[in-house]
Amino acid sequence: MCPRPRSERVVVIGAGHAGVQAADALRAGGHDGPITLVGGEPVLPYQRPPLSKEHLAPGGTPVPLPLRAERFFADRRIDLRTGVTATALDRTSRTVLLDDGAALPYDVLVLATGAANRVPAVPGADLAGIHALRTLGDAQALRAGLSRARSVLVVGAGFVGLEVAAAARAHGPAVTVLEAADRPLARALSREAAGHVAEVHRRAGTDLRLGEAVAAFTGRRGRVTGAVSSAGTEYRADLVLVGTGVAPRTALAAAAGLPVVDGIVVDECLRTPDPAIYAVGDCASHPSVHTGTRIRLESVQNATDQGRHVAAAILGGARPYTGVPWFWSHQGALKLQIAGVRLPGDENVLCGDPATGRFSVCRFRDGRLVVVESLNRPADHMAARRLLAAGRSPEPGRLRDPAFCLKEFAREPAVA
Amino acid sequence: MPKVIFHRDGGATDVVDVDAGSNVMRAAVQNGVDGIVGECGGQAMCATCHVYVREPHLDALPAISEDEEEMLECTAAPRDERRSRLGCQLTLGAGGLEEVEVDVPATQI
């Protein structure tokens, strides 16, 4: 392997969690060449998770938490360009064009372009009062709307939808959630855990309607007044939050001829077929050792871990990415944490008593622990992350012992 | 104005003024204090804002919640039973601490 010159020019497109972490880790890892970090929003890069949680809470802080202090970028000689978007990628001349007219030559390019919200293709989707939540701007508009809203409709019981529903309830208005699937968080959670999540929201006063999609939004004078569901039911709302999933932002890569299949296709070291280009975070589809399939993850952990990983690869330490995926969500009094990636057909075994509101669902594949969904049981979650990273698994039968504790098991010496 | 004094691994010290109601993790992230990550944004979810609180501030600290207790068992650097806390749970001013002095662990990840 040829050692790379340390003066190479690295350009990172996207200043979210993945892009900022990649730039940080490159410099921290000893890269001496120019690093340019391009972000589409006209603000200092910020933490996204609080936008759907404490940012929306009554009395919560409206000021976003930066990912790094402003001086961090100058101190590290990271050329941060905000409020500009990459419009074209010329792989032959190794140049990225920006919408402010700049042309950035690169030796190594990292695509950290993230994802964009999907908008349901139904009548009325462009009415005022219909919000989505992805950016700080979205969060500020939603926060202002929630302080005035009398009735809120949330479309989609995914993480963002349920977090906003919980925050909206705390502001006082009536909250209805429409979910097309037969349970909330259907893509992420087992039936057992999802059932408990549904109950928590219903107990908080949220009207959770399962098996109902939105068919049309209704409005008056350009403002939303409600929606009609696929079941024909009419719902009134003066504020709507649409949380119906995201699509990876792959247009730049696709137009440059890079393969895209639900995400920019990268190898196990996060490199595209063009050896000068990597992709990380929400926009990248990578082969996972945890599922044996190609996956694309939408999470802060995946973004930051892949940011660190790609920096190591650029510095000459390319190795397969094997980080254990984990996720979390805060919904009112519910703290939900997931370690691992589920596949259909995994066997669910309860750990703890759901009636206490503190329990975990452990999922086994071929008799091995692959996922732990923890509800208000952070110790289980942390133990699970350790066990999954080490490839250790309890016998599924041991979980049926009420005295079994995942945390204690994680402390047992590993059996060779 | 409330104040946090960070003693970083390796010896450097950062003194940071903090808005009332903010916390030790936010103070570190907003001011670029190396060694505090705050990966989850301050929800006691990731244990990457672990700090060791110095005397004489130990008695003035808020009680450890059950969640923080569980997360502290899983920090990357060893837990100190008396001094380890999550920075995101240590609120400054407004009924919280007026000043706190902490040691930053060698690693958070």
Side-chain angles (χ1 to χ4, degrees), chain A residues 67 85 110 112 234 246 258 266 279 281 309:
Chain A
L67 276 167
T85 304
V110 178
E234 284 185 43
V246 302
L258 293 170
V266 294
H309 199 88

Side-chain angles (χ1 to χ4, degrees), chain A residues 47 53-54 61 63 65-66 69 71 76 300 304 308 326 328-330 335 337 358 377-379 382 385-386 407 411, chain B residues 14 25-26 29-34 37-47 66-67 70-71 73-75 109:
Chain A
Q47 298 220 0
K53 306 177 184 77
E54 61 262 42
T61 169
V63 182
L65 186 62
R71 72 161 201 227
R76 280 12 175 233
V300 169
T304 53
R308 283 185 205 106
W326 60 273
W328 83 90
S329 179
H330 242 177
K335 181 180 256 198
Q337 292 161 294
R358 291 168 55 84
R377 286 253 286 214
M382 297 306 285
R385 277 162 57 181
R386 286 188 181 182
K407 188 174 79 183
R411 285 190 182 140
Chain B
D14 297 288
M25 182 278 294
R26 289 185 76 94
V29 171
Q30 278 168 331
N31 290 281
V33 175
D34 286 341
V37 180
E39 196 157 280
C40 78
Q43 309 194 330
M45 287 285 186
C46 67
E66 208 171 328
D67 283 357
E70 293 194 3
M71 297 305 287
E73 293 187 22
C74 304
T75 50
I109 297 161

